[in-house]
């Protein structure tokens, strides 16, 4: 998946740079709201029969996010956009015990995030839209860390590598931009505590998909 995303980004970057850019480039700022979908990619280790284990099925949860952002141009088709976001998601993990009983633990993620994205933009020739391809990264911190009673402990910090697409347009004095952003988790969030379940799990990565709308205003529009 990462190789496909890289090829897609390089192809679209070449296409955007080859287009004729129209319009003015202005500092802008605004808010973002949207839905968040998170998958816990659990790396299960080989286990002997009768030992406890963690299920690797149905590991996707959902939530919502909101934030503020600012954006300004670096080049005619290249912009930078830092942001401050808050998001909430939850995931459920199933744990199989040695006596055959199953327990379910709910993991909550109430996070403060600092994304930094670079945007390649260009206007469509026949539509009043601006195509956007974004790439960059983010750091985040989970304020709802799991308690000592949890079968597994997860680290609060997360590093993500982001790639996405969007389409912006102006509605009166406002700029509206729907976006899809995929964030690939770079760091292992498994906090090893030497419990029976810890010995059945290797790396745990948190991948995110954001479906959101950015609403903003140009500074001098």
């Amino acid at each position: 998946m990462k190789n496909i995303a890289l090829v897609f980004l390089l192809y679209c970057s070449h296409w955007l740079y080859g287009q004729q850019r129209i319009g003015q480039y202005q500092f802008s700022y605004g808010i973002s709201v949207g839905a968040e979908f998170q998958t816990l990619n659990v790396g299960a280790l080989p286990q002997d029969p009768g030992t406890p284990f963690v299920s690797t099925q149905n590991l996707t949860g959902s939530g919502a996010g909101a934030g503020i952002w600012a954006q300004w141009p670096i080049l005619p088709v290249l912009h930078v956009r830092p942001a401050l976001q808050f998001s909430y998601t939850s995931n459920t993990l199933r744990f199989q015990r040695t006596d055959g009983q199953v327990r379910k633990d709910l993991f909550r993620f109430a996070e403060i995030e600092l994304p930094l994205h670079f945007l390649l933009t260009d206007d469509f020739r026949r539509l009043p839209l601006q195509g956007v391809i974004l790439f960059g990264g983010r750091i985040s911190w989970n304020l709802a860390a799991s308690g000592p009673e949890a079968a597994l402990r997860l680290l609060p910090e997360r590093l993500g590598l982001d790639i996405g697409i969007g389409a912006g347009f102006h509605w009166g004095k406002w700029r509206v931009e729907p976006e899809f952003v995929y964030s690939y988790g770079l760091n292992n969030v498994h906090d090893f505590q030497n419990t029976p379940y810890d010995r059945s799990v290797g790396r745990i990565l948190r991948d995110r998909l954001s479906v959101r709308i950015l609403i903003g205003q140009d500074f001098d529009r």
Side-chain angles (χ1 to χ4, degrees), residues 33-51:
V33 293
E36 303 284 339
F37 303 92
Q38 177 174 262
T39 299
L40 297 180
N41 290 316
V42 177
L45 300 178
Q47 294 295 302
D48 296 328
T51 58

mmCIF file with all atom_site columns, all heavy atoms in Angstrom, residues 33-51:
data_model
loop_
_atom_site.group_PDB
_atom_site.id
_atom_site.type_symbol
_atom_site.label_atom_id
_atom_site.label_alt_id
_atom_site.label_comp_id
_atom_site.label_asym_id
_atom_site.label_entity_id
_atom_site.label_seq_id
_atom_site.pdbx_PDB_ins_code
_atom_site.Cartn_x
_atom_site.Cartn_y
_atom_site.Cartn_z
_atom_site.occupancy
_atom_site.B_iso_or_equiv
_atom_site.pdbx_formal_charge
_atom_site.auth_seq_id
_atom_site.auth_comp_id
_atom_site.auth_asym_id
_atom_site.auth_atom_id
_atom_site.pdbx_PDB_model_num
ATOM 1   N N   . VAL A 1 33 ? -13.676 20.054  10.538 1.00 0.00 ? 33 VAL A N   1
ATOM 2   C CA  . VAL A 1 33 ? -14.506 19.104  11.275 1.00 0.00 ? 33 VAL A CA  1
ATOM 3   C C   . VAL A 1 33 ? -14.664 17.862  10.407 1.00 0.00 ? 33 VAL A C   1
ATOM 4   O O   . VAL A 1 33 ? -14.657 17.949  9.171  1.00 0.00 ? 33 VAL A O   1
ATOM 5   C CB  . VAL A 1 33 ? -15.899 19.679  11.620 1.00 0.00 ? 33 VAL A CB  1
ATOM 6   C CG1 . VAL A 1 33 ? -15.789 20.807  12.619 1.00 0.00 ? 33 VAL A CG1 1
ATOM 7   C CG2 . VAL A 1 33 ? -16.625 20.158  10.357 1.00 0.00 ? 33 VAL A CG2 1
ATOM 8   N N   . GLY A 1 34 ? -14.806 16.703  11.053 1.00 0.00 ? 34 GLY A N   1
ATOM 9   C CA  . GLY A 1 34 ? -14.976 15.502  10.254 1.00 0.00 ? 34 GLY A CA  1
ATOM 10  C C   . GLY A 1 34 ? -15.051 14.237  11.071 1.00 0.00 ? 34 GLY A C   1
ATOM 11  O O   . GLY A 1 34 ? -15.040 14.254  12.307 1.00 0.00 ? 34 GLY A O   1
ATOM 12  N N   . ALA A 1 35 ? -15.121 13.118  10.359 1.00 0.00 ? 35 ALA A N   1
ATOM 13  C CA  . ALA A 1 35 ? -15.180 11.791  10.955 1.00 0.00 ? 35 ALA A CA  1
ATOM 14  C C   . ALA A 1 35 ? -13.805 11.140  10.904 1.00 0.00 ? 35 ALA A C   1
ATOM 15  O O   . ALA A 1 35 ? -13.042 11.351  9.954  1.00 0.00 ? 35 ALA A O   1
ATOM 16  C CB  . ALA A 1 35 ? -16.200 10.920  10.215 1.00 0.00 ? 35 ALA A CB  1
ATOM 17  N N   . GLU A 1 36 ? -13.498 10.358  11.943 1.00 0.00 ? 36 GLU A N   1
ATOM 18  C CA  . GLU A 1 36 ? -12.214 9.682   12.047 1.00 0.00 ? 36 GLU A CA  1
ATOM 19  C C   . GLU A 1 36 ? -12.439 8.173   12.146 1.00 0.00 ? 36 GLU A C   1
ATOM 20  O O   . GLU A 1 36 ? -13.314 7.711   12.887 1.00 0.00 ? 36 GLU A O   1
ATOM 21  C CB  . GLU A 1 36 ? -11.449 10.161  13.283 1.00 0.00 ? 36 GLU A CB  1
ATOM 22  C CG  . GLU A 1 36 ? -11.200 11.654  13.337 1.00 0.00 ? 36 GLU A CG  1
ATOM 23  C CD  . GLU A 1 36 ? -10.102 12.100  12.401 1.00 0.00 ? 36 GLU A CD  1
ATOM 24  O OE1 . GLU A 1 36 ? -9.281  11.242  12.014 1.00 0.00 ? 36 GLU A OE1 1
ATOM 25  O OE2 . GLU A 1 36 ? -10.059 13.300  12.056 1.00 0.00 ? 36 GLU A OE2 1
ATOM 26  N N   . PHE A 1 37 ? -11.629 7.418   11.420 1.00 0.00 ? 37 PHE A N   1
ATOM 27  C CA  . PHE A 1 37 ? -11.677 5.958   11.469 1.00 0.00 ? 37 PHE A CA  1
ATOM 28  C C   . PHE A 1 37 ? -10.262 5.453   11.751 1.00 0.00 ? 37 PHE A C   1
ATOM 29  O O   . PHE A 1 37 ? -9.328  5.801   11.037 1.00 0.00 ? 37 PHE A O   1
ATOM 30  C CB  . PHE A 1 37 ? -12.188 5.388   10.146 1.00 0.00 ? 37 PHE A CB  1
ATOM 31  C CG  . PHE A 1 37 ? -13.533 5.919   9.750  1.00 0.00 ? 37 PHE A CG  1
ATOM 32  C CD1 . PHE A 1 37 ? -13.645 7.047   8.947  1.00 0.00 ? 37 PHE A CD1 1
ATOM 33  C CD2 . PHE A 1 37 ? -14.693 5.301   10.193 1.00 0.00 ? 37 PHE A CD2 1
ATOM 34  C CE1 . PHE A 1 37 ? -14.886 7.547   8.584  1.00 0.00 ? 37 PHE A CE1 1
ATOM 35  C CE2 . PHE A 1 37 ? -15.932 5.792   9.834  1.00 0.00 ? 37 PHE A CE2 1
ATOM 36  C CZ  . PHE A 1 37 ? -16.032 6.920   9.028  1.00 0.00 ? 37 PHE A CZ  1
ATOM 37  N N   . GLN A 1 38 ? -10.139 4.640   12.786 1.00 0.00 ? 38 GLN A N   1
ATOM 38  C CA  . GLN A 1 38 ? -8.820  4.177   13.219 1.00 0.00 ? 38 GLN A CA  1
ATOM 39  C C   . GLN A 1 38 ? -8.771  2.661   13.267 1.00 0.00 ? 38 GLN A C   1
ATOM 40  O O   . GLN A 1 38 ? -9.702  2.018   13.757 1.00 0.00 ? 38 GLN A O   1
ATOM 41  C CB  . GLN A 1 38 ? -8.476  4.744   14.598 1.00 0.00 ? 38 GLN A CB  1
ATOM 42  C CG  . GLN A 1 38 ? -7.153  4.234   15.143 1.00 0.00 ? 38 GLN A CG  1
ATOM 43  C CD  . GLN A 1 38 ? -6.759  4.915   16.431 1.00 0.00 ? 38 GLN A CD  1
ATOM 44  O OE1 . GLN A 1 38 ? -5.967  5.844   16.440 1.00 0.00 ? 38 GLN A OE1 1
ATOM 45  N NE2 . GLN A 1 38 ? -7.318  4.451   17.541 1.00 0.00 ? 38 GLN A NE2 1
ATOM 46  N N   . THR A 1 39 ? -7.659  2.106   12.771 1.00 0.00 ? 39 THR A N   1
ATOM 47  C CA  . THR A 1 39 ? -7.426  0.667   12.819 1.00 0.00 ? 39 THR A CA  1
ATOM 48  C C   . THR A 1 39 ? -6.194  0.382   13.655 1.00 0.00 ? 39 THR A C   1
ATOM 49  O O   . THR A 1 39 ? -5.144  1.013   13.459 1.00 0.00 ? 39 THR A O   1
ATOM 50  C CB  . THR A 1 39 ? -7.225  0.101   11.399 1.00 0.00 ? 39 THR A CB  1
ATOM 51  O OG1 . THR A 1 39 ? -8.409  0.330   10.622 1.00 0.00 ? 39 THR A OG1 1
ATOM 52  C CG2 . THR A 1 39 ? -6.956  -1.401  11.448 1.00 0.00 ? 39 THR A CG2 1
ATOM 53  N N   . LEU A 1 40 ? -6.329  -0.557  14.591 1.00 0.00 ? 40 LEU A N   1
ATOM 54  C CA  . LEU A 1 40 ? -5.186  -1.029  15.373 1.00 0.00 ? 40 LEU A CA  1
ATOM 55  C C   . LEU A 1 40 ? -4.609  -2.252  14.669 1.00 0.00 ? 40 LEU A C   1
ATOM 56  O O   . LEU A 1 40 ? -5.241  -3.314  14.628 1.00 0.00 ? 40 LEU A O   1
ATOM 57  C CB  . LEU A 1 40 ? -5.614  -1.392  16.792 1.00 0.00 ? 40 LEU A CB  1
ATOM 58  C CG  . LEU A 1 40 ? -6.179  -0.258  17.660 1.00 0.00 ? 40 LEU A CG  1
ATOM 59  C CD1 . LEU A 1 40 ? -6.555  -0.779  19.033 1.00 0.00 ? 40 LEU A CD1 1
ATOM 60  C CD2 . LEU A 1 40 ? -5.189  0.888   17.781 1.00 0.00 ? 40 LEU A CD2 1
ATOM 61  N N   . ASN A 1 41 ? -3.443  -2.104  14.089 1.00 0.00 ? 41 ASN A N   1
ATOM 62  C CA  . ASN A 1 41 ? -2.787  -3.210  13.406 1.00 0.00 ? 41 ASN A CA  1
ATOM 63  C C   . ASN A 1 41 ? -1.943  -3.976  14.428 1.00 0.00 ? 41 ASN A C   1
ATOM 64  O O   . ASN A 1 41 ? -0.832  -3.571  14.776 1.00 0.00 ? 41 ASN A O   1
ATOM 65  C CB  . ASN A 1 41 ? -1.925  -2.696  12.258 1.00 0.00 ? 41 ASN A CB  1
ATOM 66  C CG  . ASN A 1 41 ? -2.772  -2.155  11.130 1.00 0.00 ? 41 ASN A CG  1
ATOM 67  O OD1 . ASN A 1 41 ? -3.768  -2.759  10.743 1.00 0.00 ? 41 ASN A OD1 1
ATOM 68  N ND2 . ASN A 1 41 ? -2.403  -0.998  10.602 1.00 0.00 ? 41 ASN A ND2 1
ATOM 69  N N   . VAL A 1 42 ? -2.513  -5.079  14.911 1.00 0.00 ? 42 VAL A N   1
ATOM 70  C CA  . VAL A 1 42 ? -1.889  -5.878  15.966 1.00 0.00 ? 42 VAL A CA  1
ATOM 71  C C   . VAL A 1 42 ? -1.052  -6.980  15.330 1.00 0.00 ? 42 VAL A C   1
ATOM 72  O O   . VAL A 1 42 ? -1.565  -7.801  14.560 1.00 0.00 ? 42 VAL A O   1
ATOM 73  C CB  . VAL A 1 42 ? -2.957  -6.485  16.899 1.00 0.00 ? 42 VAL A CB  1
ATOM 74  C CG1 . VAL A 1 42 ? -2.299  -7.367  17.953 1.00 0.00 ? 42 VAL A CG1 1
ATOM 75  C CG2 . VAL A 1 42 ? -3.777  -5.382  17.552 1.00 0.00 ? 42 VAL A CG2 1
ATOM 76  N N   . GLY A 1 43 ? 0.223   -6.986  15.656 1.00 0.00 ? 43 GLY A N   1
ATOM 77  C CA  . GLY A 1 43 ? 1.113   -8.036  15.171 1.00 0.00 ? 43 GLY A CA  1
ATOM 78  C C   . GLY A 1 43 ? 1.124   -9.212  16.131 1.00 0.00 ? 43 GLY A C   1
ATOM 79  O O   . GLY A 1 43 ? 1.840   -9.201  17.141 1.00 0.00 ? 43 GLY A O   1
ATOM 80  N N   . ALA A 1 44 ? 0.294   -10.244 15.857 1.00 0.00 ? 44 ALA A N   1
ATOM 81  C CA  . ALA A 1 44 ? 0.197   -11.407 16.751 1.00 0.00 ? 44 ALA A CA  1
ATOM 82  C C   . ALA A 1 44 ? 1.437   -12.288 16.603 1.00 0.00 ? 44 ALA A C   1
ATOM 83  O O   . ALA A 1 44 ? 1.919   -12.543 15.499 1.00 0.00 ? 44 ALA A O   1
ATOM 84  C CB  . ALA A 1 44 ? -1.058  -12.199 16.436 1.00 0.00 ? 44 ALA A CB  1
ATOM 85  N N   . LEU A 1 45 ? 1.942   -12.764 17.740 1.00 0.00 ? 45 LEU A N   1
ATOM 86  C CA  . LEU A 1 45 ? 3.093   -13.658 17.752 1.00 0.00 ? 45 LEU A CA  1
ATOM 87  C C   . LEU A 1 45 ? 2.629   -15.108 17.831 1.00 0.00 ? 45 LEU A C   1
ATOM 88  O O   . LEU A 1 45 ? 1.547   -15.401 18.347 1.00 0.00 ? 45 LEU A O   1
ATOM 89  C CB  . LEU A 1 45 ? 3.985   -13.337 18.955 1.00 0.00 ? 45 LEU A CB  1
ATOM 90  C CG  . LEU A 1 45 ? 4.565   -11.916 19.001 1.00 0.00 ? 45 LEU A CG  1
ATOM 91  C CD1 . LEU A 1 45 ? 5.383   -11.732 20.272 1.00 0.00 ? 45 LEU A CD1 1
ATOM 92  C CD2 . LEU A 1 45 ? 5.396   -11.631 17.771 1.00 0.00 ? 45 LEU A CD2 1
ATOM 93  N N   . PRO A 1 46 ? 3.426   -16.062 17.324 1.00 0.00 ? 46 PRO A N   1
ATOM 94  C CA  . PRO A 1 46 ? 3.049   -17.481 17.422 1.00 0.00 ? 46 PRO A CA  1
ATOM 95  C C   . PRO A 1 46 ? 2.879   -17.893 18.883 1.00 0.00 ? 46 PRO A C   1
ATOM 96  O O   . PRO A 1 46 ? 3.703   -17.560 19.744 1.00 0.00 ? 46 PRO A O   1
ATOM 97  C CB  . PRO A 1 46 ? 4.226   -18.205 16.767 1.00 0.00 ? 46 PRO A CB  1
ATOM 98  C CG  . PRO A 1 46 ? 4.869   -17.172 15.891 1.00 0.00 ? 46 PRO A CG  1
ATOM 99  C CD  . PRO A 1 46 ? 4.692   -15.862 16.589 1.00 0.00 ? 46 PRO A CD  1
ATOM 100 N N   . GLN A 1 47 ? 1.792   -18.639 19.156 1.00 0.00 ? 47 GLN A N   1
ATOM 101 C CA  . GLN A 1 47 ? 1.480   -19.029 20.525 1.00 0.00 ? 47 GLN A CA  1
ATOM 102 C C   . GLN A 1 47 ? 1.288   -20.537 20.626 1.00 0.00 ? 47 GLN A C   1
ATOM 103 O O   . GLN A 1 47 ? 0.846   -21.184 19.681 1.00 0.00 ? 47 GLN A O   1
ATOM 104 C CB  . GLN A 1 47 ? 0.207   -18.323 21.002 1.00 0.00 ? 47 GLN A CB  1
ATOM 105 C CG  . GLN A 1 47 ? 0.346   -16.810 21.120 1.00 0.00 ? 47 GLN A CG  1
ATOM 106 C CD  . GLN A 1 47 ? 1.342   -16.423 22.202 1.00 0.00 ? 47 GLN A CD  1
ATOM 107 O OE1 . GLN A 1 47 ? 1.194   -16.789 23.360 1.00 0.00 ? 47 GLN A OE1 1
ATOM 108 N NE2 . GLN A 1 47 ? 2.359   -15.681 21.801 1.00 0.00 ? 47 GLN A NE2 1
ATOM 109 N N   . ASP A 1 48 ? 1.610   -21.060 21.797 1.00 0.00 ? 48 ASP A N   1
ATOM 110 C CA  . ASP A 1 48 ? 1.348   -22.468 22.073 1.00 0.00 ? 48 ASP A CA  1
ATOM 111 C C   . ASP A 1 48 ? -0.135  -22.661 22.366 1.00 0.00 ? 48 ASP A C   1
ATOM 112 O O   . ASP A 1 48 ? -0.800  -21.738 22.858 1.00 0.00 ? 48 ASP A O   1
ATOM 113 C CB  . ASP A 1 48 ? 2.175   -22.932 23.270 1.00 0.00 ? 48 ASP A CB  1
ATOM 114 C CG  . ASP A 1 48 ? 3.668   -22.875 22.990 1.00 0.00 ? 48 ASP A CG  1
ATOM 115 O OD1 . ASP A 1 48 ? 4.054   -23.077 21.824 1.00 0.00 ? 48 ASP A OD1 1
ATOM 116 O OD2 . ASP A 1 48 ? 4.428   -22.610 23.948 1.00 0.00 ? 48 ASP A OD2 1
ATOM 117 N N   . PRO A 1 49 ? -0.684  -23.854 22.075 1.00 0.00 ? 49 PRO A N   1
ATOM 118 C CA  . PRO A 1 49 ? -2.102  -24.113 22.390 1.00 0.00 ? 49 PRO A CA  1
ATOM 119 C C   . PRO A 1 49 ? -2.383  -23.923 23.880 1.00 0.00 ? 49 PRO A C   1
ATOM 120 O O   . PRO A 1 49 ? -1.592  -24.296 24.737 1.00 0.00 ? 49 PRO A O   1
ATOM 121 C CB  . PRO A 1 49 ? -2.290  -25.576 21.963 1.00 0.00 ? 49 PRO A CB  1
ATOM 122 C CG  . PRO A 1 49 ? -1.221  -25.815 20.954 1.00 0.00 ? 49 PRO A CG  1
ATOM 123 C CD  . PRO A 1 49 ? -0.044  -24.986 21.388 1.00 0.00 ? 49 PRO A CD  1
ATOM 124 N N   . GLY A 1 50 ? -3.527  -23.303 24.177 1.00 0.00 ? 50 GLY A N   1
ATOM 125 C CA  . GLY A 1 50 ? -3.926  -23.100 25.554 1.00 0.00 ? 50 GLY A CA  1
ATOM 126 C C   . GLY A 1 50 ? -3.407  -21.825 26.191 1.00 0.00 ? 50 GLY A C   1
ATOM 127 O O   . GLY A 1 50 ? -3.691  -21.571 27.367 1.00 0.00 ? 50 GLY A O   1
ATOM 128 N N   . THR A 1 51 ? -2.640  -21.027 25.451 1.00 0.00 ? 51 THR A N   1
ATOM 129 C CA  . THR A 1 51 ? -2.146  -19.763 25.995 1.00 0.00 ? 51 THR A CA  1
ATOM 130 C C   . THR A 1 51 ? -3.086  -18.633 25.591 1.00 0.00 ? 51 THR A C   1
ATOM 131 O O   . THR A 1 51 ? -3.765  -18.704 24.559 1.00 0.00 ? 51 THR A O   1
ATOM 132 C CB  . THR A 1 51 ? -0.731  -19.466 25.474 1.00 0.00 ? 51 THR A CB  1
ATOM 133 O OG1 . THR A 1 51 ? -0.755  -19.424 24.033 1.00 0.00 ? 51 THR A OG1 1
ATOM 134 C CG2 . THR A 1 51 ? 0.250   -20.529 25.931 1.00 0.00 ? 51 THR A CG2 1
#
